[in-house]
Structures are given as C-alpha cells and as structure tokens.
Amino acid sequence: MKRFIAFALAGILVIGVQSPIRASAVQQQKNEMVTIQSTVPGGELVLSTRLLEENFNVLLDKKTEKQNQLSITIAKLLAEHFGKNGKVQGGGSANYIIGPSESGDFFYTPASTAFVNHGHVGLYYSSNTIVESIFPTGVRSISANVKMVEKGAVVKSVSTTDAVKQNAANWVYTQIGQPYSLNAMNNRNTGHMGAKNCSKLIWSAYLLYGGLDLDVNKGFGVYPRDIRDAKQTRFIRQI
C-alpha cells in the first residue's frame, strides 16, 4: 500500500515538473522515491495532507480535469491511510538549537516536507547566520542561535578551500527571497537561479563556486541526505 502511494505521487510530480519524460527516467525517479521511503524509521511515511491538497494544482503544468482529479484522489488516499497529523519541514520534535559554525558549513536535521521524511539542510553564511529554503517562505536567513533542529541533527563541513566556502556562502545569501520549489524529484535538471528547495540551494552553491557535486548518488533529485552523505564532506558535531 505504501509503495503504491509513493509510486503514484512520484508519477504526479513527474507530470507536473517535466512532461513528457522518458519512461526509463520515470522509473528511475520512482525507484529513488522508494529508496527514500525505506529510510524512514519504521517504514512510515510522514506527510502533511494539507500541503498535498493545497499544492498539487501548483505542481501540474497542464491542469486537465483528469490530472486534477487524480491529485485529489491521491491526497484523499493519503489522508485516509495516514490520518491528518503530518509534519511539514522543520516540524516534529525540533527542540534543539543548532548553534554557530564556520561560514560555508551546513547542517542536516531530520525533518519532513510534503509526504516523505527526507530531512532538511541549511548553509552557514556566517558563524551565526544560516541561509535555508523552507516551505512556504522560500530562501531566508535565520540566526544559528535560534534555529531549532531535531535530535540527531549534524553539522558538517565541505572539504575545500576557505575561499570556495565563502564564495558559496555569499551566493546563497544573494538567493534570499527566492521562492520555495516543490520540484525535489528532478532538481538536478532545473536551473540554478529562481525557486529552489533546501538541498538544491546548497548543491548549486558548491557546484557553481567550487565545481563540487555534493550529491552522493547523482540521481535525478538532490535530496538533503545526498548533501549530508556526500564524500566531499566531513563531520563536525551531532546534536
């Protein structure tokens, strides 16, 4: 049941963000969604049906009656199966302050956006200022001394020069005010400017200003855990 739901949602997202697309590419994106799902403790999907119901129409480029009806059906199926108590990004047991780190470092925290608990990342612009992209605000800055994360959050550094780290940090700061992107499934193939989610923000910064691809598996989508697990990063501390 859960696998079917993940597949159905992956299909809707593909319709919305890049249509038409090769069948093989669709299958790979579906496989990535199942891989993410399998990492959720207990195999449970964490979701916000409100977010799904309010934003499926935004995801659909061609708002045909058939597509809209399908999105409503999937949202209702999710609500019936999991109930209406979901989490949005940064929700849940975020009771710990992440604290300062060096410019160009980043944090990863368990968190949920939409229907999968895939985590959240943010980049340190300065030791006390974090830049992150969250739903529905988009790219914003927040003090590291008030930013709340969940237990198990980690702070990591990118293994590169101080100049590259500072340039990447400077660039993400220029992105403040950009809207949040709901396209996480295919964000490696979208432009670096404009709307972006949290992982795309950091991935673009280090790709543009350091030539570093901080995506551990090089799939269609760059997810927060891809950034966390990239081989070019090193552990600093854990909450």
Side-chain angles (χ1 to χ4, degrees), residues 84-152:
K84 291 187 176 295
N85 296 320
K87 296 191 298 183
V88 295
Q89 191 174 67
S93 56
N95 298 319
Y96 303 87
I97 293 175
I98 191 63
S101 196
E102 293 184 0
S103 177
D105 291 348
F106 68 91
F107 74 87
Y108 167 89
T109 180
S112 301
T113 303
F115 47 87
V116 177
N117 185 352
H118 55 67
H120 173 61
V121 288
L123 190 77
Y124 285 86
Y125 167 66
S126 66
S127 61
N128 291 307
T129 303
I130 288 168
V131 178
E132 61 181 355
S133 184
I134 64 168
F135 178 86
T137 306
V139 184
R140 68 169 188 179
S141 65
I142 185 172
S143 170
N145 296 313
V146 301
K147 175 62 184 178
M148 306 299 289
V149 295
E150 298 194 20
K151 189 170 181 60

Side-chain angles (χ1 to χ4, degrees), residues 137-181:
T137 306
V139 184
R140 68 169 188 179
S141 65
I142 185 172
S143 170
N145 296 313
V146 301
K147 175 62 184 178
M148 306 299 289
V149 295
E150 298 194 20
K151 189 170 181 60
V154 296
V155 176
K156 301 193 75 175
S157 176
V158 179
S159 300
T160 186
T161 66
D162 289 341
V164 167
K165 292 173 65 176
Q166 189 61 62
N167 287 337
N170 290 342
W171 182 79
V172 299
Y173 196 79
T174 69
Q175 300 303 296
I176 292 174
Q178 294 292 345
Y180 186 83
S181 173

